[in-house]
Amino acid sequence: MTMIAAHIQTVRARIETACLAAGRAPGTVKLLAVSKTFGADAVVQAIATGQTAFGENYIAEAIEKMTAVRESLLALSLISPIEWHCIGPIQSNKTRLVAEHFDWAQSVDRLKIAQRLSEQRPPHLPALNICLQVNVDGGVNKSGVEPDAVLGLAQAVAKLPNLRLRGLMCIPENAPDFIAALAVFTVAKDLFNKINHEGLSLDTLSMGMSADLEAAIHAGSTIVRVGSAIFGGRHSVT
Ligand SMILES: *Cc1c(COP(=O)(O)O)cnc(C)c1O
């Protein structure tokens, strides 16, 4: 077994344990393997274990990797449906690339970006899945819509054609312990519930990373985004 395969097995076990501890069915949490800074070979090793969803932060790097992965899979006669999630900041001049190449954009925090993604989504592709990134803790990492503006943004984004609003995403600062992490993730869960009470039907709450996925799952996460616990330490950090 490769190192990456062993790490994925460990992370899947952590997810299952956290689900059971929270009284949730393990199938309700999806593992997104965050492959930023790692090459196509690492992604292919993960695919060989059955992993299908990958998250990338840097758009140019991601698109190059998608092509390389496709070629490797063809060469290996490995047929697997792969899902690519954009989880990094999206500038206006990058929306076309995101609309053309990704299945999900999890880091949408402005209506203008959503409008461009909707206009630029090629008609032959299914709707682009969208999560709104929320600044749940007012952290130094200031990207994300403010909590009191999320409902309005969600209502506007839900009306756009070619997009499918799926839910919320957050990247809180590292919390000192489980209880503190749980409190922050619960802010996101409460916002998610509030938006659904207003008549939208969100099904996705993307939160939890290598260090804090247990607390996120406890609070109701449906996608955990895990990088270093699968692929190892990164040289360049976002
Ligand atoms: C890098 C990154 C991750 C993965 O972080 P790890 O701590 O390596 O698991 C998850 N989400 C986002 C938005 C990231 O940029």
Side-chain angles (χ1 to χ4, degrees):
M1 192 190 296
T2 67
M3 187 97 91
I4 287 172
H7 288 166
I8 288 179
Q9 211 169 64
T10 302
V11 170
R12 290 198 179 283
R14 281 177 64 190
I15 292 171
E16 190 171 325
T17 303
C19 282
L20 294 176
R24 302 181 53 192
T28 58
V29 177
K30 167 147 110 181
L31 172 59
L32 183 70
V34 177
S35 43
K36 66 179 174 214
T37 81
F38 291 91
D41 52 332
V43 172
V44 171
Q45 282 182 47
I47 292 169
T49 74
Q51 178 64 29
T52 56
F54 293 87
E56 289 282 343
N57 293 56
Y58 314 109
I59 291 150
E61 175 197 331
I63 292 169
E64 207 175 301
K65 204 176 300 180
M66 289 173 195
T67 306
V69 167
R70 247 189 314 269
E71 284 168 1
S72 297
L73 293 181
L74 270 175
L76 294 166
S77 301
L78 198 61
I79 294 169
S80 174
I82 309 296
E83 204 176 85
W84 293 95
H85 295 231
C86 177
I87 60 172
I90 305 173
Q91 311 301 334
S92 294
N93 62 354
K94 293 288 163 50
T95 52
R96 182 175 298 281
L97 289 172
V98 174
E100 289 177 349
H101 293 276
F102 284 85
D103 304 291
W104 287 68
Q106 290 201 12
S107 37
V108 172
D109 61 0
R110 284 175 286 155
L111 183 57
K112 181 184 167 202
I113 296 296
Q115 284 167 334
R116 290 174 65 91
L117 291 170
S118 175
E119 284 160 15
Q120 294 168 344
R121 182 66 168 171
H124 67 277
L125 293 179
L128 180 65
N129 296 291
I130 300 290
C131 289
L132 303 179
Q133 183 177 341
V134 190
N135 184 11
V136 280
D137 61 351
V140 278
N141 165 16
K142 273 288 180 194
S143 51
V145 60
E146 293 306 312
D148 59 7
V150 183
L151 176 60
L153 180 59
Q155 286 166 332
V157 170
K159 294 197 181 89
L160 295 173
N162 311 322
L163 302 183
R164 183 171 168 211
L165 179 63
R166 299 296 296 267
L168 306 180
M169 184 271 253
C170 64
I171 319 172
E173 294 297 304
N174 276 337
D177 55 38
F178 182 91
I179 299 293
L182 185 60
V184 176
F185 288 132
T186 300
V187 172
K189 174 64 171 176
D190 290 346
L191 284 170
F192 172 91
N193 288 343
K194 176 176 139 189
I195 293 168
N196 278 341
H197 281 138
E198 294 294 330
L200 296 179
S201 48
L202 307 185
D203 63 6
T204 300
L205 194 48
S206 171
M207 56 189 193
M209 318 203 301
S210 295
D212 56 12
L213 66 88
E214 283 82 3
I217 288 171
H218 206 87
S221 172
T222 69
I223 296 183
V224 290
R225 309 178 310 267
V226 179
S228 49
I230 293 175
F231 297 107
R234 289 180 294 272
H235 296 298
S236 60
V237 177
T238 33

